[in-house]
Amino acid sequence: LQKEIFNHVQDLLNNGHYFNAVEESYKIVREKLKEITGKEKAHEAFANSNYEKIFGHQPINNAERDFFEGVKFLHMAIQFLRNEKAHTPARPIDKNLAIHYISLASLAYDLITRK
């Protein structure tokens, strides 16, 4: 896991607050996206004009364009998964499922901080 994600959620995980750990991991990802692009919502942040801010350059071929779009859709998934968590009361979730969600957040974070 990315250090920034893990450090933020470690205590929550250790104390069995898995729902909150997942929600917090998503917040870190969205905060970083906003820091980079000025936009928190993925469908706005991943405008073609922001590719250089996120990836350091425009896509050089169709394969890279597909990759950039994949990262965009990963962040859109984070956006919608986070909305579900933010608009429902906390409920017990399995530790393993929480780790999967947090791993997804870690990947999303990593892919926008690599330049």
Side-chain angles (χ1 to χ4, degrees), residues 29-59 64-65 67-76 107-115:
V29 172
R30 295 192 67 194
E31 183 178 273
K32 179 54 87 173
L33 189 59
K34 185 176 181 180
E35 179 184 311
I36 293 169
T37 67
K39 303 286 183 181
E40 182 182 357
K41 294 179 180 176
H43 69 280
E44 296 172 352
F46 281 87
N48 289 344
S49 59
N50 283 336
Y51 281 167
E52 289 188 35
K53 292 177 185 176
I54 299 167
F55 301 108
H57 63 280
Q58 291 293 321
E64 192 168 60
R65 182 176 309 284
F67 173 77
F68 288 5
E69 284 293 296
V71 175
K72 171 180 145 181
F73 286 113
L74 173 61
H75 279 264
M76 288 178 71
L107 174 62
Y109 188 94
D110 183 40
L111 292 174
I112 64 170
T113 57
R114 289 186 161 252
K115 275 198 241 182

Side-chain angles (χ1 to χ4, degrees), residues 26 33 50 59-61 88 92 95 99 113-114:
Y26 292 162
L33 189 59
N50 283 336
I60 59 172
N61 56 37
T88 57
K95 179 181 180 179
I99 291 169
T113 57
R114 289 186 161 252

